[in-house]
Amino acid sequence: MSAEAVGMHMPAVVTLDDVAAMNAADPNGHRYETSPEGVLSVMPPPDSEHAMIASRLFAWLIMAGWPADQVLQAAGVRISGPNGAGGRIPDLTVWRKPPVRSVWAAVIDVVLVVEIVSPGSEAMDSVTKVREYASAGIPQYWVVDRDGAQTVTLHRLAGTGAYEERARMPLAWLLQTAPVDHLD
């Protein structure tokens, strides 16, 4: 289907319910997200390298004692902004307590959001989502680049309301440490 044909069938304003329906209906595993300003993003389905990185981080957290119902892959979070609410689907989220069952969970108990950079998502993960997650008050945001070292950049929310880079290291190094060394 052409972009023109898709555009003809799109509502003037895309709601979080619309985005949830798009995610549920996509037979190819694309992720549909929207910014608090209403900008729709379509992410390609994760490939095997992406899935492996997410699985390694998930296992690392679980083996260190985080309860499985507090470490979630591809769970939707509601990102509020001055003009409305958006919805993002981070690759991994860590919670203080299990979130209430919802398609778009409130971020009140989110401790950490992790995004794994995919081809074409570099600007979204390293600029747009940095701003959105900081504005939402999420204490930590990690970005995993898919370079040779699978470099992880650890951001912590500062008193200014913006993230500051706390560390940058290869994923293999991070996995040799304890999560408690990096998470409050």
Side-chain angles (χ1 to χ4, degrees):
M1 183 179 291
S2 72
E4 181 179 293
V6 169
M8 288 174 30
H9 299 287
M10 289 292 289
V13 175
V14 178
T15 68
L16 287 179
D17 288 340
D18 295 330
V19 175
M22 293 164 79
N23 280 313
D26 190 306
N28 299 310
H30 291 86
R31 289 186 191 168
Y32 298 84
E33 302 177 339
T34 184
S35 72
E37 297 80 26
V39 178
L40 182 67
S41 301
V42 181
M43 308 300 178
D47 62 15
S48 59
E49 180 186 22
H50 187 281
M52 179 199 64
I53 293 168
S55 294
R56 291 177 72 194
L57 285 165
F58 180 85
W60 175 68
L61 289 158
I62 298 301
M63 291 175 59
W66 279 92
D69 59 357
Q70 291 175 235
V71 181
L72 306 178
Q73 293 189 49
V77 294
R78 179 182 297 270
I79 304 295
S80 295
N83 300 323
R88 295 293 181 194
I89 305 172
D91 294 310
L92 192 71
T93 51
V94 178
W95 303 73
R96 284 185 190 87
K97 63 182 184 181
V100 174
R101 185 176 181 192
S102 172
V103 174
W104 303 109
V107 297
I108 189 74
D109 290 313
V110 174
V111 175
L112 167 68
V113 166
V114 178
E115 292 285 5
I116 301 162
V117 177
S118 293
S121 75
E122 297 89 350
M124 179 70 71
D125 293 337
S126 61
V127 178
T128 303
K129 290 182 180 179
V130 169
R131 179 183 45 80
E132 289 179 6
Y133 293 150
S135 293
I138 296 170
Q140 295 194 49
Y141 175 49
W142 297 358
V143 179
V144 184
D145 288 309
R146 289 172 50 176
D147 55 10
Q150 295 176 337
T151 304
V152 184
T153 304
L154 288 65
H155 300 275
R156 180 180 299 255
L157 196 58
T160 62
Y163 285 122
E164 58 186 27
E165 186 177 313
R166 209 175 104 226
R168 187 181 294 238
M169 67 188 77
L171 179 62
W173 289 10
L174 177 70
L175 298 177
Q176 295 303 311
T177 66
V180 73
D181 294 340
H182 310 288
L183 298 170
D184 298 330

